[in-house]
Amino acid sequence: MKTTFTLFSMVLALNFAFSQTVITNFETGETPLYSTLTGANTENQTEFNMNADNPGKSGINTTNKCLYILTNQVIPPSDNIEAGRPQWGENNFTIEFENPITIDDNNRYLHILHWKERTLHVWLVYGTDANGTEMEIGRGPCTEAGKWFDMVADVKAKMTSLKKIRVILDGNWGATATEETFYPPTKFYYDEIILSGDPNPRGATYLTQSNILDFEDNSETNSKVTFTKQNNLYINDIFYDNDDKTGINTSDKCCYFNRNSGSLVWWHGFLFDLINPIDMGTNQYLHIMMKKSASETQNVQVSLLNLSGVQSAALMNNPLTTEWVDYVFTVPVTHQYIKSIYLKYNAAGADTGCFADEFRIDNDPTPRTQLPPTSTKQNTLAEKYTIDLSGKQLRIQSNENTTLSIRIYTIDGCLVNDQQTSSLNMEFTSSGIYLLNIDGKTEKIIVK
């Protein structure tokens, strides 16, 4: 048996940059836009309350009342239910309007505030137009449990009228063990459902710095992204030691994917959900350094998700080499705001390692031939010295004020500098690849 309520809402012309159509805010006195709100069957939702107390009156939602749903996803496993996938498609709520709403630029974005007891996987929203055609209009992650966030779906990108909204509650997509197949009953809350011309999530801040991810500092990386491991059979490490500090990437850390065992599902790799979306601003290009441990003809795909969870077409569909290469992607105009970066590998060998590093946005379509000064600065040999390469200028400084044996060679072996010093400051006369030997340790550097 389903639970159905009649809602009354109002269209408001507010003194903001964008007008808003308030579908419902679950408070009292809502008039006059007629619609009904229907929950799922009681075997999927054991509690359904349209007048529940706000579980966390802070942040972007300090109202008193909201919609509360207690899911019941403890379904006995059977041959008809795939492991890790409860019947989440049947666990939803719908809002149906008496008359279809015409969608234009002033109301194209559907916003729904959401709070959940635990982070599971993604939220999904479907829309039905005046002709009865239903399609997905938005999806995205919940990056933090116990906190209100704004789900945003671009309705106009898919339809010009809206007759029904169907919100699917989370399901467990990643479990592999039988005991992990279904989550216990979970509390979900929704509030402040509106249509607006504003594409930005309410309360969102945006990441605008050029350096998006370099994986050098665990706390900094964790403050920027939530990483979703998509299959427990595979190996993922986003703080992996870079064991190939040659060519263009001499940084200490990178992220690593390995199929490990079993049959490969090619779209698995790295799905980075940004805690604060990227505002591309005037930037047009995304740079990502990538490589594989073995030469293969299998491709890698890179795509982006915008605020509505719409995935871009593959920005890349090429094999990777065994050396670090800076791949440059033109960001589509539809993805001015990016909330997820998705790398999908198709590694044929179970022991093939896939690597990615140094995610950056800028206006330069030219692939990087070296890291910027802030990234090339590194400490090696147990913090004994620091290397800083900026353009043709090389600086080496002993961190312990001890004498270093420094030799610099061209790539064909000609000696260009030989010193015993605690501090070296030299300028190269020519661009190219050089070999830097310090106290017997040799690495390549690229002078641009």
Side-chain angles (χ1 to χ4, degrees):
M1 180 177 180
K2 295 184 177 180
T3 306
T4 302
F5 294 88
T6 299
L7 301 178
F8 298 92
S9 300
M10 58 189 301
V11 180
L12 301 178
L14 303 178
N15 294 322
F16 300 123
F18 300 93
S19 62
Q20 298 184 31
T21 302
V22 178
I23 296 173
T24 183
N25 58 16
F26 302 102
E27 306 293 326
T28 58
E30 300 166 302
T31 59
L33 188 65
Y34 181 78
S35 61
T36 58
L37 192 151
T38 304
N41 293 327
T42 54
E43 60 263 26
N44 282 326
Q45 297 173 1
T46 54
E47 295 183 36
F48 192 92
N49 185 352
M50 286 273 293
N51 193 39
D53 291 334
N54 183 345
K57 294 176 63 173
S58 61
I60 61 175
N61 189 13
T62 58
T63 63
N64 294 319
K65 299 296 182 179
C66 62
L67 168 65
Y68 159 65
I69 301 172
L70 177 64
T71 69
N72 180 18
Q73 295 185 335
V74 185
I75 306 170
S78 71
D79 294 337
N80 298 323
I81 302 176
E82 181 182 349
R85 294 206 177 192
Q87 294 175 324
W88 59 269
E90 304 300 322
N91 203 343
N92 58 64
F93 70 89
T94 62
I95 297 175
E96 184 166 5
F97 305 103
E98 184 178 70
N99 298 305
I101 299 174
T102 300
I103 300 298
D104 56 30
D105 287 338
N106 294 316
N107 65 355
R108 67 179 297 165
Y109 297 101
L110 173 68
H111 294 252
I112 304 175
L113 294 186
H114 185 20
W115 188 104
K116 62 182 67 179
E117 181 181 22
R118 60 171 57 89
T119 301
L120 304 180
H121 196 68
V122 299
W123 55 265
L124 291 125
V125 179
Y126 285 77
T128 301
D129 64 14
N131 297 320
T133 302
E134 183 185 59
M135 62 187 71
E136 181 183 315
I137 57 175
R139 70 164 60 196
C142 170
T143 56
E144 187 175 350
K147 182 179 180 180
W148 287 102
F149 68 97
D150 195 18
M151 301 158 42
V152 183
D154 186 356
V155 182
K156 191 184 175 188
K158 298 294 182 68
M159 54 189 62
T160 57
S161 62
L162 184 63
K163 184 70 166 61
K164 184 192 297 185
I165 299 164
R166 184 163 66 99
V167 179
I168 296 180
L169 281 61
D170 257 331
N172 174 9
W173 285 6
T176 55
T178 302
E179 62 271 16
E180 297 175 342
T181 301
F182 305 107
Y183 282 113
T186 301
K187 296 177 181 178
F188 293 83
Y189 297 83
Y190 299 88
D191 203 1
E192 300 292 326
I193 303 174
I194 66 170
L195 290 169
S196 168
D198 189 352
N200 303 320
R202 289 169 285 188
T205 57
Y206 291 93
L207 187 63
T208 58
Q209 66 191 75
S210 296
N211 182 38
I212 304 302
L213 289 170
D214 60 22
F215 309 102
E216 298 302 305
D217 183 276
N218 293 24
S219 59
E220 180 182 0
T221 301
N222 289 330
S223 71
K224 290 182 178 180
V225 296
T226 297
F227 169 67
T228 301
K229 186 174 182 179
Q230 296 172 281
N231 192 314
N232 289 332
L233 293 176
Y234 302 150
I235 297 173
N236 290 95
D237 187 349
I238 62 172
F239 303 112
Y240 188 79
D241 288 335
N242 180 7
D243 56 7
D244 183 19
K245 294 184 182 180
T246 59
I248 63 173
N249 188 8
T250 56
S251 64
D252 292 326
K253 300 289 184 179
C254 61
C255 57
Y256 169 75
F257 168 82
N258 190 289
R259 165 184 165 185
N260 188 36
S261 64
S263 60
L264 181 77
V265 182
W266 74 267
W267 55 84
H268 284 186
F270 301 110
L271 175 59
F272 292 110
D273 296 318
L274 293 137
I275 293 173
N276 292 306
I278 298 173
D279 180 357
M280 290 300 294
T282 60
N283 295 299
Q284 302 177 57
Y285 303 103
L286 170 67
H287 296 248
I288 304 176
M289 291 187 182
M290 291 187 285
K291 67 183 285 285
K292 276 185 179 179
S293 64
S295 295
E296 293 183 347
T297 58
Q298 280 73 17
N299 296 346
V300 60
Q301 287 192 2
V302 176
S303 58
L304 309 173
L305 278 72
N306 64 16
L307 295 180
S308 292
V310 176
Q311 189 172 164
S312 69
L315 304 180
M316 173 185 182
N317 195 9
N318 306 92
L320 297 179
T321 70
T322 56
E323 296 182 352
W324 286 109
V325 174
D326 184 35
Y327 295 91
V328 185
F329 312 105
T330 302
V331 176
V333 294
T334 54
H335 288 65
Q336 171 71 26
Y337 298 99
I338 302 168
K339 71 178 180 183
S340 299
I341 302 173
Y342 200 177
L343 279 62
K344 312 172 210 178
Y345 294 105
N346 188 13
D351 57 349
T352 299
C354 304
F355 306 85
D357 201 3
E358 300 293 333
F359 294 52
R360 184 179 178 85
I361 58 171
D362 60 29
N363 261 325
D364 188 354
T366 306
R368 291 170 289 181
T369 57
Q370 66 178 46
L371 297 182
T374 54
S375 297
T376 56
K377 189 175 293 183
Q378 56 181 309
N379 293 333
T380 56
L381 288 182
E383 308 295 322
K384 285 188 177 180
Y385 58 82
T386 300
I387 301 172
D388 188 358
L389 176 63
S390 179
K392 289 185 172 66
Q393 195 72 34
L394 173 66
R395 297 179 179 85
I396 301 174
Q397 177 66 51
S398 170
N399 295 329
E400 301 173 348
N401 201 29
T402 56
T403 299
L404 302 170
S405 175
I406 303 173
R407 293 184 176 90
I408 302 174
Y409 302 84
T410 63
I411 192 65
D412 55 2
C414 295
L415 183 66
V416 296
N417 200 319
D418 185 1
Q419 293 192 40
Q420 305 290 316
T421 181
S422 62
S423 178
L424 173 71
N425 190 337
M426 69 167 288
E427 185 173 357
F428 291 92
T429 57
S430 302
S431 302
I433 300 176
Y434 292 81
L435 301 177
L436 174 62
N437 183 289
I438 304 177
D439 288 347
K441 178 179 173 62
T442 302
E443 57 185 287
K444 292 180 184 178
I445 56 175
I446 297 179
V447 177
K448 188 175 180 180

